[in-house]
Amino acid sequence: WITIIVVLLTLLFAVFLVGFLVKSVVKSATRKKSLLSVYLKIFANYVQLMVLCAAFEADWPDDVLSIFEFHRQLNSVSDQFPRFSCLMSSGGSREYELLMMSFMAPFIIVMICGCFWLVWGLAKRDRHVAYVRFVVTVVVTIFLLHPVLVKRAFAMFSCQRLDDGNEYLRSDYSVQCWTPDHNKWAFGVALPSLILW
């Protein structure tokens, strides 16, 4: 029960955050751009870029690694967000379940946002405003999810050779890389996810 409550509270917080961002974007579109909003967008892009760079296993200098560690901590909350596999485990690899949920999340979000703004537009009888808010909601949500989506997809290609001579996923050492099952997920789900998102 505690896990379900935490997941529901996280979802509620995410909905509140997206609602706040959508409302501020819609309001800021009708007035002059303030420098604060420009700086916040630049900072958000910077954080996303640092999180994506930190996900790559490379021989980074120590100073760069310390910067990445700070950004990994910022991203750890959003990285933990789509972990619902504890509620619906199918007996397969957890990494495959997380990859599939990451791939499907934007489609589900578009459908939920579409239904919400369709009902809102019909109730208010203003389909144009509802459409604009729908587009803004989708863009803001995908923007927030993008680092997690890309990181999850790249994780399917991040393998490490162990002492037994086989390569295993760095994120889950129970998954052997380049087997038919892994290839199905890596090239059938992760690669299209990288191309799409």
Side-chain angles (χ1 to χ4, degrees):
W1 284 103
I2 293 176
T3 304
I4 293 172
I5 291 171
V6 169
V7 167
L8 290 176
L9 288 175
T10 304
L11 281 173
L12 185 64
F13 176 74
V15 168
F16 174 76
L17 177 65
V18 169
F20 173 76
L21 290 173
V22 167
K23 186 175 180 179
S24 67
V25 167
V26 169
K27 278 188 175 183
S28 70
T30 59
R31 55 185 162 182
K32 288 185 177 181
K33 297 282 183 202
S34 70
L35 284 179
L36 179 62
S37 70
V38 172
Y39 292 147
L40 286 174
K41 289 175 187 173
I42 291 171
F43 180 71
N45 286 327
Y46 164 75
V47 170
Q48 284 189 322
L49 181 63
M50 288 295 108
V51 168
L52 287 174
C53 289
F56 290 106
E57 296 292 330
D59 190 21
W60 299 104
D62 289 337
D63 293 336
V64 174
L65 287 175
S66 65
I67 293 170
F68 285 166
E69 185 57 34
F70 171 74
H71 292 293
R72 279 189 188 128
Q73 292 172 1
L74 286 178
N75 186 51
S76 65
V77 174
S78 64
D79 192 29
Q80 299 297 323
F81 175 69
R83 297 196 179 214
F84 300 109
S85 59
C86 56
L87 299 177
M88 51 180 241
S89 181
S90 65
S93 170
R94 182 173 165 266
E95 288 302 312
Y96 296 151
E97 292 174 2
L98 291 172
L99 176 66
M100 184 54 85
M101 285 188 291
S102 296
F103 181 74
M104 294 303 296
F107 297 112
I108 294 168
I109 288 168
V110 167
M111 289 188 319
I112 291 171
C113 293
C115 292
F116 175 81
W117 289 116
L118 177 67
V119 170
W120 186 89
L122 292 173
K124 298 283 186 174
R125 295 184 183 178
D126 194 348
R127 289 187 301 180
H128 177 70
V129 171
Y131 175 75
V132 168
R133 290 183 179 182
F134 164 73
V135 170
V136 170
T137 304
V138 169
V139 168
V140 167
T141 306
I142 300 300
F143 178 78
L144 292 173
L145 282 177
H146 186 260
V148 176
L149 299 174
V150 172
K151 184 177 176 184
R152 180 73 56 213
F154 273 124
M156 281 292 119
F157 298 100
S158 180
C159 299
Q160 181 176 8
R161 185 174 304 278
L162 298 182
D163 292 338
D164 66 357
N166 295 318
E167 291 186 42
Y168 296 90
L169 279 182
R170 290 179 189 266
S171 56
D172 183 357
Y173 286 109
S174 70
V175 177
Q176 187 175 352
C177 291
W178 317 123
T179 62
D181 193 40
H182 175 261
N183 287 341
K184 176 179 73 175
W185 286 95
F187 297 109
V189 180
L191 187 60
S193 180
L194 286 171
I195 293 169
L196 189 60
W197 308 123

